[in-house]
Coordinates of all heavy atoms in Angstrom, one line a residue:
M1 N -15.5 -18.8 1.5 CA -14.6 -17.8 1.0 C -15.4 -16.9 0.1 O -16.4 -17.3 -0.6 CB -13.5 -18.5 0.1 CG -12.3 -19.0 0.8 SD -11.6 -17.7 1.8 CE -9.9 -18.0 1.5
I2 N -15.0 -15.7 0.1 CA -15.6 -14.7 -0.9 C -14.6 -14.1 -1.7 O -13.4 -14.0 -1.3 CB -16.5 -13.6 -0.1 CG1 -15.6 -12.8 0.8 CG2 -17.6 -14.3 0.7 CD1 -16.3 -11.6 1.5
T3 N -15.0 -13.6 -2.8 CA -14.0 -12.9 -3.7 C -13.7 -11.5 -3.3 O -14.4 -10.9 -2.5 CB -14.6 -12.9 -5.2 OG1 -15.7 -12.0 -5.2 CG2 -15.0 -14.3 -5.7
I4 N -12.6 -11.0 -3.9 CA -12.3 -9.6 -3.6 C -13.4 -8.6 -4.0 O -13.8 -7.7 -3.3 CB -11.0 -9.2 -4.3 CG1 -9.8 -10.0 -3.7 CG2 -10.7 -7.7 -4.2 CD1 -8.5 -9.9 -4.5
K5 N -14.0 -8.9 -5.1 CA -15.1 -8.1 -5.6 C -16.3 -8.1 -4.6 O -16.9 -7.1 -4.3 CB -15.6 -8.6 -7.0 CG -16.7 -7.8 -7.6 CD -17.0 -8.4 -9.0 CE -18.1 -7.6 -9.6 NZ -18.5 -8.1 -10.9
Q6 N -16.6 -9.3 -4.1 CA -17.7 -9.4 -3.1 C -17.3 -8.7 -1.8 O -18.2 -8.0 -1.3 CB -17.9 -10.9 -2.8 CG -18.6 -11.7 -4.0 CD -18.6 -13.2 -3.7 OE1 -17.6 -13.7 -3.2 NE2 -19.6 -13.8 -4.2
M7 N -16.1 -8.8 -1.4 CA -15.7 -8.1 -0.2 C -15.8 -6.6 -0.3 O -16.3 -5.9 0.5 CB -14.2 -8.5 0.2 CG -13.8 -7.8 1.5 SD -14.8 -8.0 2.9 CE -14.5 -9.6 3.4
R8 N -15.4 -6.1 -1.5 CA -15.5 -4.7 -1.7 C -16.9 -4.2 -1.7 O -17.2 -3.1 -1.2 CB -14.8 -4.3 -3.1 CG -13.3 -4.3 -3.0 CD -12.7 -3.8 -4.2 NE -11.2 -3.8 -4.1 CZ -10.4 -4.3 -5.0 NH1 -10.8 -4.7 -6.2 NH2 -9.1 -4.3 -4.8
E9 N -17.8 -5.0 -2.2 CA -19.2 -4.7 -2.2 C -19.8 -4.7 -0.8 O -20.5 -3.8 -0.4 CB -20.0 -5.6 -3.1 CG -21.5 -5.4 -3.2 CD -21.8 -4.0 -3.8 OE1 -21.0 -3.3 -4.4 OE2 -23.0 -3.5 -3.6
L10 N -19.4 -5.7 0.0 CA -19.8 -5.7 1.4 C -19.3 -4.5 2.2 O -20.0 -3.9 2.9 CB -19.3 -7.0 2.0 CG -20.0 -8.3 1.6 CD1 -19.3 -9.5 2.1 CD2 -21.5 -8.3 2.0
E11 N -18.0 -4.1 1.9 CA -17.5 -3.0 2.6 C -18.2 -1.7 2.2 O -18.5 -0.8 3.0 CB -16.0 -2.9 2.3 CG -15.2 -4.0 3.1 CD -13.7 -4.0 2.7 OE1 -13.3 -3.3 1.7 OE2 -13.0 -4.6 3.4
R12 N -18.5 -1.6 0.9 CA -19.2 -0.4 0.4 C -20.6 -0.3 1.0 O -21.0 0.8 1.5 CB -19.4 -0.5 -1.1 CG -20.0 0.8 -1.8 CD -20.4 0.5 -3.2 NE -21.5 -0.4 -3.3 CZ -22.8 -0.2 -3.0 NH1 -23.1 1.0 -2.5 NH2 -23.7 -1.1 -3.1
K13 N -21.3 -1.4 1.2 CA -22.6 -1.4 1.8 C -22.5 -1.1 3.3 O -23.3 -0.3 3.8 CB -23.3 -2.8 1.6 CG -23.8 -3.0 0.2 CD -24.4 -4.4 0.1 CE -24.9 -4.6 -1.3 NZ -25.5 -5.9 -1.5
A14 N -21.5 -1.5 3.9 CA -21.3 -1.2 5.4 C -21.1 0.3 5.5 O -21.6 0.9 6.4 CB -20.1 -2.0 5.9
V15 N -20.2 0.9 4.7 CA -20.0 2.3 4.8 C -21.3 3.1 4.5 O -21.6 4.1 5.2 CB -18.9 2.7 3.8 CG1 -18.8 4.2 3.6 CG2 -17.5 2.2 4.2
A16 N -22.1 2.6 3.5 CA -23.3 3.2 3.2 C -24.3 3.2 4.4 O -25.1 4.1 4.6 CB -24.0 2.6 2.0
H17 N -24.1 2.2 5.3 CA -24.9 2.1 6.5 C -24.2 2.8 7.7 O -24.7 2.6 8.9 CB -25.2 0.6 6.8 CG -26.3 0.1 6.0 ND1 -26.0 -0.6 4.8 CD2 -27.6 0.0 6.1 CE1 -27.1 -1.0 4.2 NE2 -28.1 -0.6 5.0
G18 N -23.2 3.5 7.5 CA -22.6 4.3 8.6 C -21.5 3.7 9.3 O -21.0 4.2 10.3
I19 N -21.0 2.5 8.9 CA -19.9 1.8 9.5 C -18.6 2.3 8.8 O -18.4 2.1 7.7 CB -20.0 0.3 9.5 CG1 -21.3 -0.1 10.1 CG2 -18.8 -0.4 10.1 CD1 -21.7 -1.6 9.9
I20 N -17.7 2.9 9.6 CA -16.5 3.5 9.0 C -15.4 2.4 8.9 O -15.5 1.4 9.6 CB -16.0 4.7 9.9 CG1 -15.6 4.2 11.3 CG2 -17.0 5.8 9.8 CD1 -14.9 5.3 12.1
P21 N -14.5 2.5 7.9 CA -13.5 1.5 7.7 C -12.7 1.2 8.9 O -12.3 0.0 9.2 CB -12.6 2.1 6.6 CG -13.6 3.0 5.8 CD -14.5 3.6 6.9
Q22 N -12.4 2.2 9.7 CA -11.6 1.9 11.0 C -12.3 1.0 11.9 O -11.7 0.1 12.6 CB -11.3 3.2 11.7 CG -10.3 4.1 10.9 CD -11.0 5.0 9.9 OE1 -12.2 4.9 9.6 NE2 -10.2 5.9 9.3
E23 N -13.7 1.1 12.0 CA -14.5 0.3 12.8 C -14.4 -1.2 12.3 O -14.4 -2.1 13.1 CB -15.9 0.8 12.9 CG -16.8 0.1 13.9 CD -18.2 0.6 13.9 OE1 -18.4 1.7 13.4 OE2 -19.0 0.0 14.5
M24 N -14.5 -1.3 11.0 CA -14.4 -2.7 10.4 C -13.1 -3.3 10.6 O -13.0 -4.5 11.0 CB -14.7 -2.6 8.9 CG -16.1 -2.3 8.5 SD -16.4 -2.4 6.7 CE -16.2 -0.7 6.3
M25 N -12.0 -2.5 10.5 CA -10.6 -3.0 10.8 C -10.5 -3.4 12.3 O -9.9 -4.5 12.6 CB -9.6 -2.0 10.5 CG -9.3 -1.9 9.0 SD -7.9 -0.8 8.7 CE -8.8 0.7 8.4
E26 N -11.0 -2.6 13.2 CA -11.0 -3.0 14.6 C -11.7 -4.2 14.9 O -11.2 -5.1 15.6 CB -11.6 -1.8 15.4 CG -11.5 -2.0 16.9 CD -10.1 -1.9 17.5 OE1 -9.2 -1.2 16.8 OE2 -9.8 -2.4 18.5
T27 N -12.9 -4.4 14.3 CA -13.7 -5.6 14.5 C -13.0 -6.8 14.0 O -12.9 -7.9 14.6 CB -15.1 -5.4 13.9 OG1 -15.7 -4.3 14.5 CG2 -15.9 -6.7 14.1
A28 N -12.4 -6.7 12.8 CA -11.8 -7.9 12.1 C -10.5 -8.3 12.9 O -10.3 -9.5 13.2 CB -11.4 -7.5 10.7
G29 N -9.7 -7.3 13.3 CA -8.5 -7.6 14.0 C -8.8 -8.2 15.4 O -8.1 -9.2 15.8
K30 N -9.8 -7.7 16.1 CA -10.2 -8.2 17.4 C -10.7 -9.6 17.2 O -10.4 -10.5 18.1 CB -11.2 -7.3 18.0 CG -11.5 -7.6 19.4 CD -12.5 -6.5 20.0 CE -12.7 -6.7 21.5 NZ -13.6 -5.6 22.0
K31 N -11.5 -9.9 16.2 CA -12.0 -11.3 16.0 C -10.8 -12.3 15.7 O -10.9 -13.4 16.3 CB -13.0 -11.3 14.8 CG -13.7 -12.6 14.6 CD -14.6 -12.9 15.7 CE -15.4 -14.2 15.5 NZ -16.2 -14.5 16.6
V32 N -9.8 -11.9 15.0 CA -8.7 -12.7 14.7 C -8.0 -13.1 16.1 O -7.7 -14.2 16.4 CB -7.6 -12.1 13.8 CG1 -6.3 -12.8 13.8 CG2 -8.2 -12.0 12.4
Y33 N -7.9 -12.0 16.9 CA -7.3 -12.2 18.2 C -8.1 -13.2 19.0 O -7.5 -14.2 19.6 CB -7.2 -10.9 19.0 CG -7.0 -11.0 20.5 CD1 -5.7 -11.5 21.0 CD2 -8.0 -10.8 21.4 CE1 -5.5 -11.6 22.3 CE2 -7.8 -10.9 22.7 CZ -6.6 -11.4 23.2 OH -6.4 -11.5 24.5
H34 N -9.4 -13.1 19.1 CA -10.3 -14.0 19.9 C -10.2 -15.4 19.4 O -10.2 -16.3 20.2 CB -11.7 -13.4 20.0 CG -11.9 -12.3 20.9 ND1 -11.7 -12.4 22.2 CD2 -12.2 -11.0 20.6 CE1 -11.9 -11.2 22.8 NE2 -12.2 -10.3 21.8
I35 N -10.2 -15.6 18.1 CA -10.1 -16.9 17.5 C -8.8 -17.6 17.9 O -8.8 -18.7 18.3 CB -10.3 -16.9 16.0 CG1 -11.8 -16.6 15.7 CG2 -9.9 -18.2 15.4 CD1 -12.0 -16.3 14.2
L36 N -7.7 -16.8 17.8 CA -6.4 -17.4 18.1 C -6.3 -17.7 19.6 O -5.8 -18.7 20.1 CB -5.3 -16.4 17.8 CG -5.0 -16.3 16.3 CD1 -4.0 -15.2 16.0 CD2 -4.6 -17.6 15.6
K37 N -6.9 -16.8 20.4 CA -6.9 -17.0 21.9 C -7.7 -18.3 22.3 O -7.3 -19.0 23.2 CB -7.4 -15.8 22.6 CG -7.2 -15.8 24.1 CD -7.5 -14.4 24.6 CE -7.4 -14.4 26.1 NZ -6.1 -14.5 26.6
E38 N -8.8 -18.5 21.6 CA -9.6 -19.7 21.8 C -8.9 -21.0 21.4 O -9.0 -22.0 22.1 CB -10.9 -19.7 21.0 CG -11.9 -18.7 21.5 CD -13.1 -18.6 20.6 OE1 -13.2 -19.4 19.6 OE2 -14.0 -17.8 20.8
R39 N -8.1 -21.0 20.4 CA -7.4 -22.2 19.9 C -6.0 -22.5 20.4 O -5.6 -23.6 20.4 CB -7.3 -22.1 18.3 CG -8.7 -22.1 17.7 CD -8.6 -22.1 16.2 NE -9.9 -22.0 15.6 CZ -10.2 -22.0 14.4 NH1 -9.2 -22.0 13.5 NH2 -11.4 -21.9 13.9
F40 N -5.4 -21.5 20.9 CA -4.0 -21.6 21.4 C -3.7 -21.0 22.7 O -4.4 -20.0 23.1 CB -3.0 -21.0 20.4 CG -3.1 -21.5 19.0 CD1 -3.8 -20.8 18.0 CD2 -2.6 -22.7 18.6 CE1 -3.9 -21.2 16.7 CE2 -2.7 -23.2 17.3 CZ -3.4 -22.5 16.4
D41 N -2.8 -21.6 23.5 CA -2.3 -20.9 24.7 C -1.3 -19.9 24.3 O -0.1 -20.2 24.1 CB -1.7 -22.0 25.6 CG -1.1 -21.4 26.9 OD1 -1.4 -20.2 27.2 OD2 -0.4 -22.1 27.6
L42 N -1.7 -18.7 24.1 CA -0.9 -17.6 23.6 C 0.3 -17.3 24.5 O 1.3 -16.7 24.1 CB -1.7 -16.3 23.4 CG -2.8 -16.5 22.3 CD1 -3.6 -15.2 22.2 CD2 -2.1 -16.8 20.9
N43 N 0.2 -17.6 25.8 CA 1.3 -17.3 26.7 C 2.5 -18.1 26.4 O 3.6 -17.7 26.9 CB 0.8 -17.5 28.2 CG -0.2 -16.6 28.6 OD1 -0.2 -15.4 28.3 ND2 -1.2 -17.1 29.3
T44 N 2.4 -19.1 25.6 CA 3.5 -20.0 25.3 C 4.0 -19.8 23.8 O 4.8 -20.5 23.3 CB 3.2 -21.5 25.5 OG1 2.2 -21.9 24.6 CG2 2.8 -21.7 27.0
K45 N 3.4 -18.8 23.2 CA 3.7 -18.6 21.7 C 4.3 -17.3 21.4 O 4.3 -16.4 22.2 CB 2.3 -18.6 20.9 CG 1.5 -19.9 21.1 CD 2.1 -21.1 20.5 CE 1.1 -22.2 20.6 NZ 1.8 -23.4 21.1
R46 N 4.9 -17.2 20.2 CA 5.4 -16.0 19.6 C 4.7 -15.9 18.3 O 4.5 -16.9 17.6 CB 6.9 -16.0 19.4 CG 7.7 -15.8 20.7 CD 9.1 -15.9 20.4 NE 9.5 -17.3 20.4 CZ 10.6 -17.8 20.0 NH1 11.5 -17.0 19.5 NH2 10.8 -19.1 20.0
V47 N 4.2 -14.8 17.9 CA 3.4 -14.6 16.7 C 4.1 -13.7 15.7 O 4.6 -12.6 16.1 CB 2.0 -14.0 17.1 CG1 1.2 -13.8 15.8 CG2 1.3 -15.0 18.0
V48 N 4.1 -14.1 14.5 CA 4.6 -13.2 13.4 C 3.4 -12.9 12.5 O 2.7 -13.8 12.1 CB 5.7 -13.9 12.5 CG1 6.1 -13.0 11.4 CG2 6.9 -14.3 13.4
I49 N 3.2 -11.6 12.2 CA 2.1 -11.1 11.4 C 2.7 -10.4 10.2 O 3.5 -9.5 10.3 CB 1.2 -10.2 12.2 CG1 0.6 -10.9 13.3 CG2 0.1 -9.6 11.2 CD1 -0.4 -10.1 14.2
F50 N 2.4 -10.9 9.0 CA 2.8 -10.3 7.8 C 1.7 -9.3 7.4 O 0.6 -9.6 7.2 CB 3.0 -11.3 6.7 CG 4.0 -12.3 7.0 CD1 3.8 -13.5 7.7 CD2 5.3 -12.1 6.5 CE1 4.8 -14.4 8.0 CE2 6.4 -13.0 6.8 CZ 6.1 -14.1 7.5
V51 N 2.1 -8.0 7.3 CA 1.1 -6.9 7.1 C 1.4 -6.3 5.7 O 2.5 -5.8 5.4 CB 1.3 -5.8 8.2 CG1 0.4 -4.7 7.9 CG2 1.0 -6.4 9.5
G52 N 0.4 -6.3 4.9 CA 0.5 -5.7 3.6 C -0.2 -4.3 3.6 O -0.5 -3.7 4.6
Q53 N -0.4 -3.8 2.4 CA -1.0 -2.5 2.3 C -2.6 -2.6 2.4 O -3.1 -3.7 2.2 CB -0.7 -1.9 0.9 CG 0.8 -1.6 0.8 CD 1.2 -1.1 -0.6 OE1 0.3 -1.0 -1.5 NE2 2.4 -0.6 -0.7
G54 N -3.2 -1.5 2.6 CA -4.6 -1.5 2.6 C -5.3 -1.9 3.9 O -4.6 -2.0 4.9
N55 N -6.6 -2.2 3.8 CA -7.4 -2.5 5.0 C -6.9 -3.8 5.6 O -7.0 -3.9 6.9 CB -8.9 -2.5 4.7 CG -9.4 -1.2 4.3 OD1 -8.7 -0.2 4.5 ND2 -10.6 -1.1 3.7
N56 N -6.5 -4.8 4.9 CA -6.1 -6.0 5.5 C -4.9 -5.8 6.3 O -4.7 -6.5 7.4 CB -5.8 -7.1 4.4 CG -7.1 -7.6 3.8 OD1 -8.2 -7.5 4.4 ND2 -7.0 -8.2 2.6
G57 N -4.0 -4.9 5.9 CA -2.9 -4.5 6.7 C -3.3 -3.9 8.0 O -2.8 -4.2 9.1
G58 N -4.3 -3.1 8.0 CA -4.9 -2.5 9.2 C -5.5 -3.6 10.1 O -5.3 -3.5 11.3
D59 N -6.1 -4.6 9.5 CA -6.7 -5.7 10.3 C -5.5 -6.4 11.1 O -5.7 -6.7 12.3 CB -7.4 -6.7 9.4 CG -8.6 -6.1 8.7 OD1 -9.0 -5.0 9.0 OD2 -9.0 -6.8 7.7
G60 N -4.4 -6.6 10.4 CA -3.3 -7.3 11.0 C -2.7 -6.5 12.1 O -2.3 -7.0 13.1
L61 N -2.6 -5.1 11.9 CA -2.0 -4.3 13.0 C -2.9 -4.3 14.2 O -2.4 -4.3 15.4 CB -1.8 -2.9 12.5 CG -0.8 -2.7 11.4 CD1 -0.8 -1.3 10.9 CD2 0.6 -3.1 12.0
V62 N -4.2 -4.3 14.0 CA -5.2 -4.4 15.2 C -5.0 -5.7 15.9 O -4.9 -5.8 17.1 CB -6.6 -4.2 14.7 CG1 -7.6 -4.5 15.9 CG2 -6.8 -2.8 14.2
A63 N -4.9 -6.8 15.1 CA -4.7 -8.1 15.7 C -3.4 -8.1 16.5 O -3.4 -8.7 17.6 CB -4.7 -9.2 14.7
A64 N -2.4 -7.5 16.0 CA -1.1 -7.5 16.6 C -1.2 -6.7 18.0 O -0.6 -7.1 19.0 CB 0.0 -6.8 15.7
R65 N -1.9 -5.6 17.9 CA -2.1 -4.9 19.2 C -2.7 -5.7 20.3 O -2.3 -5.7 21.4 CB -3.0 -3.6 18.9 CG -3.2 -2.8 20.1 CD -3.8 -1.4 19.8 NE -4.8 -1.3 18.7 CZ -6.1 -1.5 18.8 NH1 -6.6 -1.7 20.0 NH2 -6.9 -1.4 17.8
Y66 N -3.8 -6.4 19.9 CA -4.4 -7.3 20.9 C -3.5 -8.4 21.4 O -3.4 -8.7 22.5 CB -5.8 -7.8 20.4 CG -6.9 -6.8 20.4 CD1 -7.3 -6.1 19.3 CD2 -7.6 -6.6 21.6 CE1 -8.3 -5.2 19.3 CE2 -8.6 -5.7 21.6 CZ -9.0 -5.0 20.5 OH -10.0 -4.1 20.5
L67 N -2.9 -9.1 20.4 CA -2.0 -10.2 20.7 C -0.9 -9.8 21.6 O -0.4 -10.6 22.4 CB -1.5 -10.9 19.4 CG -2.6 -11.6 18.6 CD1 -2.1 -11.9 17.2 CD2 -2.8 -13.0 19.3
S68 N -0.4 -8.6 21.4 CA 0.8 -8.2 22.2 C 0.6 -8.2 23.7 O 1.5 -8.1 24.5 CB 1.3 -6.8 21.7 OG 0.4 -5.8 22.0
H69 N -0.7 -8.2 24.1 CA -0.9 -8.3 25.5 C -0.7 -9.7 26.1 O -0.6 -9.8 27.3 CB -2.4 -7.8 25.8 CG -2.6 -6.4 25.5 ND1 -2.2 -5.3 26.2 CD2 -3.3 -5.9 24.4 CE1 -2.5 -4.2 25.6 NE2 -3.2 -4.5 24.5
D70 N -0.7 -10.7 25.2 CA -0.6 -12.1 25.6 C 0.8 -12.7 25.3 O 1.1 -13.7 25.9 CB -1.7 -12.9 25.0 CG -3.1 -12.5 25.6 OD1 -3.2 -12.3 26.8 OD2 -4.0 -12.3 24.7
C71 N 1.4 -12.2 24.2 CA 2.6 -12.9 23.7 C 3.4 -11.9 22.9 O 2.9 -10.9 22.5 CB 2.3 -14.1 22.9 SG 1.3 -13.8 21.4
P72 N 4.7 -12.2 22.7 CA 5.5 -11.4 21.8 C 5.0 -11.5 20.4 O 4.6 -12.5 19.9 CB 6.9 -12.0 21.9 CG 6.9 -12.9 23.1 CD 5.5 -13.3 23.3
V73 N 5.0 -10.3 19.7 CA 4.5 -10.2 18.3 C 5.6 -9.5 17.5 O 6.1 -8.5 17.9 CB 3.2 -9.4 18.3 CG1 2.7 -9.2 16.8 CG2 2.1 -10.1 19.1
I74 N 5.8 -10.1 16.3 CA 6.7 -9.5 15.3 C 5.8 -9.1 14.1 O 5.0 -10.0 13.7 CB 7.8 -10.4 14.9 CG1 8.7 -10.8 16.1 CG2 8.6 -9.8 13.7 CD1 9.7 -11.9 15.8
I75 N 5.9 -7.9 13.7 CA 5.2 -7.4 12.5 C 6.1 -7.2 11.4 O 7.1 -6.5 11.5 CB 4.4 -6.1 12.8 CG1 3.5 -6.3 14.0 CG2 3.6 -5.7 11.6 CD1 2.9 -5.0 14.5
L76 N 5.9 -7.9 10.2 CA 6.7 -7.7 9.0 C 5.9 -7.0 8.0 O 4.7 -7.4 7.7 CB 7.2 -9.1 8.5 CG 8.0 -9.9 9.5 CD1 8.3 -11.3 8.9 CD2 9.3 -9.2 9.8
F77 N 6.4 -5.9 7.4 CA 5.7 -5.1 6.4 C 6.2 -5.5 5.0 O 7.3 -5.8 4.8 CB 6.0 -3.6 6.6 CG 5.4 -3.1 7.9 CD1 6.1 -3.1 9.1 CD2 4.1 -2.7 7.9 CE1 5.5 -2.6 10.2 CE2 3.5 -2.2 9.0 CZ 4.2 -2.2 10.2

């Protein structure tokens, strides 16, 4: 686990190296999808994603987009 402060610093460094926040959100959401797909038979599941504000919310929306190809997804804001 890393702290919020550490995550902000990592994100700042990524942006300084030319990685835009949207690219980070896409990568994070896609990784969540792949991990869930490896661990569960998504065709037999329904998924609920709680989405907050900020970049983590964006990560959740990206994960939902990928998951929706395999199973029903409910997004709660």
Side-chain angles (χ1 to χ4, degrees):
M1 276 307 222
I2 62 173
T3 66
I4 293 170
K5 183 178 178 181
Q6 290 169 322
M7 179 54 75
R8 286 188 179 134
E9 180 62 17
L10 288 170
E11 288 174 347
R12 186 193 65 72
K13 287 179 180 179
V15 169
H17 283 90
I19 302 170
I20 61 173
Q22 293 85 351
E23 187 178 349
M24 288 185 268
M25 282 186 268
E26 184 70 24
T27 301
K30 191 173 185 179
K31 186 65 174 179
V32 167
Y33 164 73
H34 284 296
I35 289 170
L36 291 174
K37 191 168 177 72
E38 286 175 6
R39 295 185 182 180
F40 302 102
D41 179 10
L42 295 176
N43 295 319
T44 64
K45 304 290 186 229
R46 286 179 277 165
V47 176
V48 177
I49 299 179
F50 296 89
V51 176
Q53 297 178 349
N55 293 347
N56 288 338
D59 300 347
L61 292 174
V62 172
R65 178 168 36 92
Y66 282 100
L67 287 163
S68 70
H69 296 286
D70 295 315
C71 62
V73 177
I74 297 170
I75 302 169
L76 300 175
F77 293 92

